[in-house]
């Protein structure tokens, strides 16, 4: 049995697929998310899984959960900071400030809480790998991407800066930046409007959550002296739209 892999947002999409993939590789899984029923069914399916049903925005809950990990799950080698969401595609002026705050609190502050709680364990063990799930939205602007893209640009830059701060500790850091992938992401973004969510993926070949889980596993499987700094992954069907020029 390998060490523990701590995965945030493990109730759905990438997180769930990554938990399954790493479990098959022999890692013990620590799975965090809000939907406890889903965490329980994941644990039943995988075995050797410790579940943490909490909101990543709840700083005390995150720190307490890490502090109170069962003894045999304390050897965290892998942290996948995956929990996150986009809300809406409105322009900045029309979009809801509450939605902005949820994205900032989850994608930025939640990621900081989990990393701050777990990094001392990796430092102590002088070994670890932090994989942050960024997005193409952190590099490439699009209409309605405003604050969501901003949070993912933060994830990228924090990942780079973290690399400097863990120098000498034998800890790897990678920002994985997926493009179009069908998960519950768009249902969340369109607040349960399934028709709008489905339209995002209609008529094209998108990535699967398992593709991203495989990318995570590929990174982990590289020799320990190799650090991928950022890894952008799109389906072949996705490319850039070019710059927009307003004409009279
Ligand atoms: P899903 O909606 O399928 O999964 C999101 C996961 O995040 C769920 O497990 C959810 O769990 C968890 N989560 C959300 N908010 C919280 C919270 N407050 N506390 C704890 N957990 C939370 O989407 P994806 O799998 O696609 O998204 C995973 C990550 O990938 C996100 O960071 C997203 O921004 C990013 N991403 C997605 C892309 C895509 O096209 N799908 C592309 C690029 C990046 P629960 O609701 O149970 O709490
Ligand atoms: C998710 C990908 O293009 O919808 O981060 O922002 S995108």
């Amino acid at each position: 049995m390998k060490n523990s892999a701590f995965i945030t947002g493990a109730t759905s999409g990438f997180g769930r697929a990554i938990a399954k993939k790493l479990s098959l590789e022999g890692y013990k899984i620590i799975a965090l998310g809000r939907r406890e029923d889903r965490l329980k069914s994941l644990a039943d399916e995988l075995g050797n899984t410790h579940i943490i049903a909490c909101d990543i925005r709840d700083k005390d809950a995150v720190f307490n959960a890490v502090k109170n990990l069962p003894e045999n799950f304390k050897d965290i080698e892998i942290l996948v900071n995956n929990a996150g969401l986009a809300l809406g595609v409105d322009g900045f002026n029309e979009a809801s400030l509450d939605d902005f705050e949820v994205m900032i609190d989850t994608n930025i502050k939640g990621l900081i809480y989990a990393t701050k709680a777990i990094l001392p364990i990796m430092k102590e063990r002088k070994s670890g790998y932090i994989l942050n799930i960024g997005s193409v939205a952190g590099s490439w602007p699009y209409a309605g991407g405003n604050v969501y893209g901003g949070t993912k640009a933060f994830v990228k830059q924090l990942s780079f800066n973290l690399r400097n701060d863990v120098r000498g500790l034998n800890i790897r850091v990678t920002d994985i930046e997926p493009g179009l992938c069908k998960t519950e992401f768009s249902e969340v973004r369109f607040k349960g409007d399934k028709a709008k969510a489905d339209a995002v993926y209609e008529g094209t070949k998108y990535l699967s959550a398992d593709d991203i889980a495989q990318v995570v596993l590929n990174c982990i499987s590289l020799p320990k002296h190799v650090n991928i700094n950022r890894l952008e992954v799109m389906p072949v069907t996705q490319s850039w739209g070019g710059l927009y020029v307003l004409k009279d």
Side-chain angles (χ1 to χ4, degrees), residues 119 123 126 160-173:
L119 191 54
K123 183 176 176 201
K126 273 201 178 280
F160 295 164
N161 285 333
L162 201 51
R163 284 218 56 224
N164 286 337
D165 294 347
V166 298
R167 194 174 284 154
L169 297 177
N170 193 31
I171 295 172
R172 296 187 279 177
V173 185

Side-chain angles (χ1 to χ4, degrees), residues 87-93 95 100 103 137 142-151 189:
L87 290 172
V89 283
D90 288 334
F92 188 90
N93 195 44
F100 287 169
M103 290 188 276
Y142 60 85
N146 45 63
V147 168
Y148 175 66
T151 66
R189 183 170 222 172

